[in-house]
Amino acid sequence: MATELHETARAIVADHKGILAADESTGTIKKRLDSIGVESTEENRRFYRQLLFTAPGMEDAIGGVILYDETVRQATDDGTPFPEVLAAKGVIPGIKVDTGAHDQAAFPGEKVTEGLDGLRPRLEEYRTLGARFAKWRAVITIGDGIPTSGCIAANAHALARYAALCQEAGLVPIVEPEVLMDADNTIERCYEVTAWTLHATFAELDAQRVDLRGTLLKPNMVVSGKGCPEQAPAERIAELTVDCFLRHVPAAVPGIVFLSGGQSEVEATENLNAINRIGGPWPLSFSYGRALQASALQAWGGDASNAEAAQAAFAHRAAMNSLAVAGEWTAEREQPVAA
Ligand code: 13P
């Protein structure tokens, strides 16, 4: 089992590939569909995910796709379950298993992620449905007097218990401690909080006997808060991100897959490229939701006749991010191929 976990983790990020996060909960996907004026029916959600998963060429840049509980049970028009469609293309199916970040009792303004109760049988079922990896997202908020050590400890503990259960079930846990970029903090403050969070998370993973070689880390980049008047450029983001991870992430981790967290599509690619120009002992890749889907959603707009254009938009973003993993992306590569 250990070897299979190691191989799965390595395969997801092999050959400069990354992950498509298509695991938006029913509430989150409704927001995305609302933004293009499309009603969030089960059929529209299925159609949109089908479009992404069957996009020609996506498998050249995407090694894994994170699904949601509804999505892992859905199928293409011809009745083939999504996990099978992905696996046939050599793309490894994964599943979001946390049940969301909820207000943490006694910690105003902070959240703790739930979903441990009953997790063992749920993981077993997801594996029978074809999932080979899982995701759990912890949320750390920067603000006045927060985060607290109580919040960081509770989230790190939950992440580690989730990770141990995943490995028992034969699923690679993606460990996602996300420091939000929504506040007005400086990049230095983001560095400090990210370092603290990573340190606590890896201490708990060790304490809960998680095999790091069978995990992937999904962190935020070290960036300026959205509301900070001084926005650090890509080179500074890269320098501080790699420095922070060199200090706090063991080299045994087989891959770091960044979340986009509200960065624009091109920003997320440019920053990832700058990070890979420096590099580290791990593959430094992507597990983007919004930064892989924004153009595709716009191009689709809920009209089936735009499906091919939407697929091309998604495949383009995936390819740009794979170039960024190689450190070979340039702004010129963004130009559409001559018509
Ligand atoms: P974003 O890249 O849109 O932040 O989503 C990634 C994700 O899966 C967050 O949990």
Side-chain angles (χ1 to χ4, degrees):
M1 191 71 106
T3 322
E4 186 192 324
L5 289 172
H6 300 175
E7 279 169 10
T8 301
R10 281 199 303 263
I12 292 170
V13 292
D15 306 323
H16 304 136
K17 286 190 252 186
I19 296 175
L20 165 66
D23 60 324
E24 297 86 357
S25 61
T26 310
T28 304
I29 193 68
K30 181 176 183 316
K31 278 193 230 158
R32 305 279 185 269
L33 296 178
D34 282 349
S35 76
I36 53 162
V38 173
E39 196 189 342
S40 183
T41 60
E42 188 187 343
E43 174 52 19
N44 283 340
R45 294 191 293 267
R46 186 199 68 83
F47 184 90
Y48 173 62
R49 263 69 177 252
Q50 166 175 267
L51 172 166
L52 295 174
F53 304 161
T54 59
M58 64 81 108
E59 61 275 17
D60 298 336
I62 301 292
V65 171
I66 317 174
L67 306 169
Y68 182 61
D69 183 75
E70 175 184 275
T71 326
V72 77
R73 301 169 199 279
Q74 286 175 321
T76 46
D77 295 340
D78 67 3
T80 315
F82 282 158
E84 252 180 64
V85 171
L86 292 168
K89 299 174 82 162
V91 178
I92 301 175
I95 178 79
K96 168 195 173 79
V97 303
D98 67 71
T99 55
H102 297 266
D103 290 344
Q104 185 176 357
F107 288 81
E110 297 194 287
K111 306 236 178 237
V112 65
T113 300
E114 298 183 359
L116 287 172
D117 288 350
L119 184 56
R120 179 179 271 134
R122 289 175 55 222
L123 295 176
E124 275 171 28
E125 190 201 4
Y126 287 138
R127 197 179 145 94
T128 63
L129 290 170
R132 288 297 174 268
F133 71 98
K135 180 190 110 171
W136 177 290
R137 172 175 178 253
V139 176
I140 305 296
T141 311
I142 298 181
D144 226 3
I146 59 172
T148 61
S149 55
C151 173
I152 289 180
N155 278 292
H157 185 75
L159 275 168
R161 287 192 50 205
Y162 138 83
L165 281 163
C166 282
Q167 292 191 330
E168 179 191 86
L171 299 173
V172 170
I174 292 192
V175 174
E176 180 177 4
E178 174 175 3
V179 177
L180 295 178
M181 57 179 277
D182 301 335
D184 59 2
N185 57 279
T186 61
I187 190 169
E188 288 77 18
R189 176 71 176 140
C190 180
Y191 180 106
E192 187 178 76
V193 173
T194 302
W196 184 13
T197 301
L198 290 172
H199 184 80
T201 300
F202 282 99
E204 275 296 331
L205 291 173
D206 187 57
Q208 298 301 323
R209 301 180 174 169
V210 173
D211 174 5
L212 292 186
R213 289 184 197 280
T215 67
L216 290 170
L217 176 68
K218 176 164 174 166
N220 54 287
M221 296 176 190
V222 175
V223 294
S224 315
K226 262 196 186 148
C228 180
E230 205 172 313
Q231 291 291 311
E235 291 66 33
R236 178 85 176 137
I237 290 170
E239 183 192 339
L240 290 189
T241 299
V242 173
D243 184 80
C244 186
F245 286 71
L246 282 174
R247 288 170 195 269
H248 298 287
V249 180
V253 171
I256 296 181
V257 289
F258 292 99
L259 58 96
S260 60
Q263 299 177 40
S264 73
E265 289 184 324
V266 174
E267 255 174 352
T269 304
E270 183 182 6
N271 290 335
L272 183 62
N273 189 63
I275 286 169
N276 276 291
R277 302 290 281 192
I278 302 175
W282 341 257
L284 292 158
S285 187
F286 57 93
S287 175
Y288 293 163
R290 284 161 285 182
L292 274 172
Q293 297 183 52
S295 301
L297 260 177
Q298 289 296 328
W300 173 49
D303 183 342
S305 68
N306 294 331
E308 275 182 32
Q311 290 182 318
F314 164 54
H316 174 71
R317 285 273 40 97
M320 291 299 102
N321 285 309
S322 183
L323 273 178
V325 175
E328 289 171 4
W329 174 87
T330 58
E332 292 71 47
R333 306 294 279 264
E334 288 293 335
Q335 302 311 318
V337 191

